[in-house]
Amino acid sequence: DQQVKQNSPSLSVQEGRISILNCDYTNSMFDYFLWYKKYPAEGPTFLISISSIKDKNEDGRFTVFLNKSAKHLSLHIVPSQPGDSAVYFCAADMSGGSYIPTFGRGTSLIVHP
Amino acid sequence: DAGITQSPRHKVTETGTPVTLRCHQTENHRYMYWYRQDPGHGLRLIHYSYGVKDTDKGEVSDGYSVSRSKTEDFLLTLESATSSQTSVYFCAIRDFNYEQYFGPGTRLTVT
């Protein structure tokens, strides 16, 4: 049973528009959430994170929103660029836990010029 | 960039042969992980280590073993490779922060 779900395997967006990637979780013990970006033939790289004490975290064009009551988080990319085309993984972790994050299956984002 | 390398980067092997993949870090991070990435499955944890000689199983550990005799090295062994183990394998490291740093990956093909 997936505790972290990314229900959209793929997303296609026009350059300059907003990309919204979604992630849902079921375990209420999760209190820290991360997004990783993965290009083909490379390892994932950390992109942005958010603690459960916040509902928004922003880093340049990337913003992550957390809705704890809905157990939902989203990554917004504004404006989207062709270089943002990659697979994005959502991950959830818990403080004082076992240092084993739980990953979603990823969403492949394609940004068309 | 975190100092983490994987070797080999590509390998083709035959069914039934043993295979060892190596992960090496220069960051002195305590935690090390092996994942496999397959289409439709995302990143699945095979084994992890929380210190020298301290390892534990992940969700897809059957057919795999690991060893960590030094802080910097984490070895993944496929005892008898099967075609279902054809995959891309990623090593990751982590200290006491939440972020993981991933290696470049090893593409393994079992024929």
Side-chain angles (χ1 to χ4, degrees):
Chain A
D1 187 32
Q2 292 183 71
Q3 295 189 61
V4 177
K5 294 184 181 180
Q6 295 178 254
N7 291 318
S8 297
S10 62
L11 176 67
S12 182
V13 171
Q14 204 69 28
E15 182 179 6
R17 300 290 186 100
I18 184 171
S19 295
I20 300 176
L21 293 85
N22 294 304
C23 180
D24 297 294
Y25 62 97
T26 57
N27 190 339
S28 58
M29 296 297 291
F30 291 141
D31 59 5
Y32 201 88
F33 304 90
L34 308 98
W35 286 94
Y36 290 85
K37 178 178 182 178
K38 185 189 178 303
Y39 291 119
E42 296 183 10
T45 56
F46 168 72
L47 183 60
I48 192 170
S49 62
I50 188 167
S51 164
S52 62
I53 62 173
K54 297 184 177 181
D55 53 18
K56 176 182 174 181
N57 187 28
E58 191 172 356
D59 184 1
R61 295 185 298 112
F62 302 90
T63 302
V64 57
F65 294 93
L66 175 62
N67 183 333
K68 291 186 289 295
S69 61
K71 293 189 176 67
H72 176 83
L73 62 155
S74 60
L75 174 67
H76 292 213
I77 306 173
V78 184
S80 301
Q81 300 174 353
D84 297 328
S85 297
V87 176
Y88 291 78
F89 292 102
C90 169
D93 209 334
M94 56 184 80
S95 54
S98 60
Y99 289 85
I100 308 297
T102 301
F103 282 87
R105 294 185 176 179
T107 296
S108 177
L109 173 66
I110 299 173
V111 180
H112 297 281
Chain B
D1 288 345
I4 176 169
T5 57
Q6 293 183 230
S7 58
R9 294 294 313 279
H10 302 271
K11 186 168 182 68
V12 179
T13 191
E14 293 184 350
T15 298
T17 60
V19 177
T20 295
L21 309 182
R22 181 183 184 232
C23 177
H24 178 78
Q25 63 150 328
T26 58
E27 305 297 320
N28 201 37
H29 284 356
R30 177 179 178 182
Y31 298 92
M32 299 186 76
Y33 310 78
W34 277 108
Y35 292 92
R36 58 179 291 174
Q37 186 198 8
D38 303 288
H41 291 279
L43 294 165
R44 292 186 291 175
L45 181 66
I46 305 171
H47 281 278
Y48 65 98
S49 169
Y50 45 96
V52 173
K53 298 187 180 179
D54 291 324
T55 65
D56 207 345
K57 297 179 180 180
E59 61 179 308
V60 290
S61 60
D62 287 349
Y64 301 94
S65 62
V66 289
S67 66
R68 191 171 179 196
S69 58
K70 298 184 289 186
T71 299
E72 58 266 35
D73 290 324
F74 192 31
L75 304 180
L76 176 71
T77 297
L78 288 65
E79 291 134 13
S80 177
T82 67
S83 59
S84 65
Q85 293 175 313
T86 291
S87 186
V88 181
Y89 292 85
F90 290 102
C91 176
I93 62 175
R94 173 179 173 175
D95 212 328
F96 294 100
N97 295 323
Y98 289 96
E99 297 83 24
Q100 288 176 298
Y101 300 94
F102 287 82
T106 294
R107 182 172 294 276
L108 176 68
T109 302
V110 184
T111 61

